Amino acid sequence: MKSVLKIMGVLLLAAFIVSSCSKDTDPADVDVFAGTFRGKIGYTDAEKNITQDNGSVFVTKLNNTYNFRFSDGIPDLNGVEFQRKDDNTLVSVGSSGTGMITINKDKLVIGFARNGRNWTADCGR
């Protein structure tokens, strides 16, 4: 009986993860999200200037905290806390950095700065 409950629990968790990753899921509308956006990305700091027209950003969200994993050697942008301003426009809160991120089921736009480092993205899904 315990093994049946474990299997059912794993299946329910898998179904939850798949539904949170669906291309129809708007990240601003759910507490848990994971998805990949593809398009133009960029990063600058005192030593690097990286741009890529065909890059990707893997986005994960848990509650109000977002993590952005960039391709092409761009450092990850993690622990960004946002507050919803209006339809899918998120504004940085606290001392996590400054900038704007707009995200919905189809589009991700980032213009964000933290500690002299700058990330940009204009991506679709």
Side-chain angles (χ1 to χ4, degrees):
M1 183 66 171
K2 285 183 180 182
S3 63
V4 171
L5 291 175
K6 283 182 184 180
I7 291 171
M8 288 185 67
V10 168
L11 290 174
L12 286 172
L13 179 61
F16 175 75
I17 289 171
V18 167
S19 68
S20 70
C21 299
S22 167
K23 287 191 176 191
D24 293 329
T25 301
D26 190 332
D29 292 337
V30 295
D31 287 335
V32 177
F33 174 82
T36 301
F37 294 80
R38 299 182 191 290
K40 187 172 184 170
I41 58 174
Y43 173 81
T44 58
D45 66 16
E47 299 173 3
K48 295 180 184 176
N49 185 0
I50 303 170
T51 58
Q52 178 57 256
D53 287 338
N54 296 309
S56 65
V57 182
F58 181 69
V59 179
T60 57
K61 175 191 176 191
L62 183 58
N63 297 318
N64 291 324
T65 303
Y66 286 75
N67 295 311
F68 302 91
R69 187 170 24 145
F70 289 78
S71 65
D72 301 289
I74 294 176
D76 297 343
L77 176 58
N78 292 319
V80 180
E81 291 186 34
F82 287 90
Q83 185 175 60
R84 193 174 191 157
K85 182 178 177 185
D86 54 33
D87 285 344
N88 304 324
T89 298
L90 306 170
V91 180
S92 173
V93 295
S95 61
S96 65
T98 59
M100 293 289 287
I101 293 179
T102 302
I103 187 168
N104 63 35
K105 65 183 180 76
D106 299 316
K107 187 119 173 112
L108 169 67
V109 179
I110 297 175
F112 194 84
R114 176 191 282 167
N115 300 328
R117 303 176 346 161
N118 301 289
W119 292 263
T120 60
D122 187 1
C123 300
R125 207 159 143 207

